Amino acid sequence: MSYVDLAPSARELQDVRYLFTDIDDTLTTEGKLLPQTYEALWDLSRAGIAVVPVTGGSAGWCEHIVRAWPVAAVIGESGAYCVTRRDGAVAFDYWEDAALQAERQRQHLQAIKELVSRRGTAFRIAHDQVFRLADVAIDIQGHDPREVEDLASSIKAIGGTVAISSIHINTWIGDYNKRSMSERVLTEMFGVDPDETAAVTAFVGDSRNDAPMFGFIRNSFGVNNIIPVLSQLQYAPKWVSSQPAGLGFADIAQTILDAAGAGSETSHQLLTEPAVMPARK
């Protein structure tokens, strides 16, 4: 395990009980979940560290993850909802009323389609849009960064919130993001005192839309492939792994596990049945 420039100390990480993480190009490597990365998730779970993926990914993707991966919860579509398993069933807790968010998405999707059509660009709505419940995703791989920025600005001009990942422009109507839903999950679902958040949480990410989480969580990590966009981030990770993507996550996980073992007074307990968060209107 090695890091670019600074490396974390065991003392800084010994109380971590909740690890939030991006998915695309953080957990996945060229779209695949490597065996080392999946084993790292299981190692964290066995150690009582609750893993919470925080993604721009669709509801369909999130439902699979919470069913099949050793995670405590999944925050999907950039904070639109949190997905958990309770009493064996999958449950969605929305940032606001589900019907309200669905109607906003319907209207915004139509507006985005018209915007892209008028611009005559080669941008396309993401193939997984049909599995989304609150946001609109646009594929950006292969596009010039200046074109991506220009489209993002046009979306903001029509009232959309925008987050840019390594693969998508994600856009929605609503006052939430990865950070705000993560804060709610910690306090209302896991019962974490805000005064304890800095000590008990960590985050791993790789792209521009992870900046709010880097600003929120003190123990923040970037996998190595974040380096090209570091200068574009309002908030940057505290530490950067020397390994990219899923291999970087595996190294970071081991660093956290080693630190947890060093903290003799730390008690970890994985919350397998999170509390219900009330919908907001």
Side-chain angles (χ1 to χ4, degrees):
M1 296 171 289
S2 61
Y3 292 86
V4 177
D5 297 326
L6 296 175
S9 68
R11 183 178 182 84
E12 290 172 293
L13 302 175
Q14 67 181 11
D15 294 325
V16 170
R17 303 200 307 271
Y18 304 92
L19 177 58
F20 292 78
T21 177
D22 180 56
I23 296 179
D24 291 304
D25 297 318
T26 298
L27 288 177
T28 61
T29 302
E30 296 182 356
K32 302 294 184 182
L33 192 63
L34 298 178
Q36 301 97 313
T37 312
Y38 197 53
E39 185 62 30
L41 292 172
W42 275 106
D43 289 342
L44 290 161
S45 177
R46 294 186 190 106
I49 295 173
V51 179
V52 182
V54 187
T55 178
S58 70
W61 181 223
C62 294
E63 177 154 343
H64 160 75
I65 289 170
V66 82
R67 287 183 183 275
W69 295 14
V71 300
V74 184
I75 293 171
E77 295 184 38
S78 303
Y81 47 73
C82 181
V83 191
T84 55
R85 292 193 71 178
R86 294 197 289 268
D87 299 323
V90 173
F92 281 73
D93 293 300
Y94 288 82
W95 179 258
E96 295 178 277
D97 177 74
L100 173 63
Q101 291 189 213
E103 177 58 21
R104 286 174 175 169
Q105 183 210 40
R106 186 191 67 78
Q107 295 180 14
H108 196 45
L109 176 58
Q110 184 59 39
I112 295 299
K113 287 180 176 178
E114 292 174 1
L115 175 63
V116 171
S117 176
R118 288 198 306 270
R119 291 168 58 90
T121 67
F123 285 102
R124 296 288 181 269
I125 302 298
H127 72 280
D128 68 349
Q129 184 63 45
V130 67
F131 303 115
R132 293 178 177 273
L133 299 177
D135 80 350
V136 178
I138 303 165
D139 289 328
I140 63 171
Q141 287 183 310
H143 288 278
D144 185 284
R146 291 169 296 183
E147 294 178 332
V148 173
E149 286 294 336
D150 188 41
L151 178 57
S153 295
S154 296
I155 294 171
K156 292 175 184 177
I158 63 170
T161 300
V162 170
I164 303 174
S165 74
S166 57
I167 60 172
H168 290 142
I169 289 176
N170 293 96
T171 177
W172 61 93
I173 304 297
D175 186 23
Y176 60 83
N177 59 22
K178 287 184 173 185
R179 171 177 177 162
S180 55
M181 181 56 96
S182 296
E183 289 183 275
R184 182 182 294 181
V185 166
L186 279 167
T187 58
E188 297 186 13
M189 185 173 285
F190 293 130
V192 175
D193 187 320
D195 291 337
E196 297 178 357
T197 296
V200 302
T201 59
F203 175 71
V204 189
D206 80 292
S207 65
R208 294 166 57 185
N209 69 340
D210 294 319
M213 293 297 290
F214 294 138
F216 169 46
I217 293 183
R218 181 187 68 189
N219 299 317
S220 61
F221 296 83
V223 289
N224 193 261
N225 42 296
I226 199 172
I227 290 176
V229 300
L230 280 176
S231 63
Q232 303 171 39
L233 300 179
Q234 181 180 6
Y235 302 104
K238 187 174 183 179
W239 305 292
V240 176
S241 171
S242 62
Q243 292 285 340
L247 294 178
F249 178 86
D251 272 1
I252 292 164
Q254 191 58 55
T255 299
I256 292 170
L257 289 165
D258 289 346
S264 59
E265 296 182 2
T266 301
S267 175
H268 299 298
Q269 182 179 6
L270 178 63
L271 301 179
T272 55
E273 292 289 337
V276 177
M277 294 192 303
R280 306 299 177 91
K281 294 184 179 181

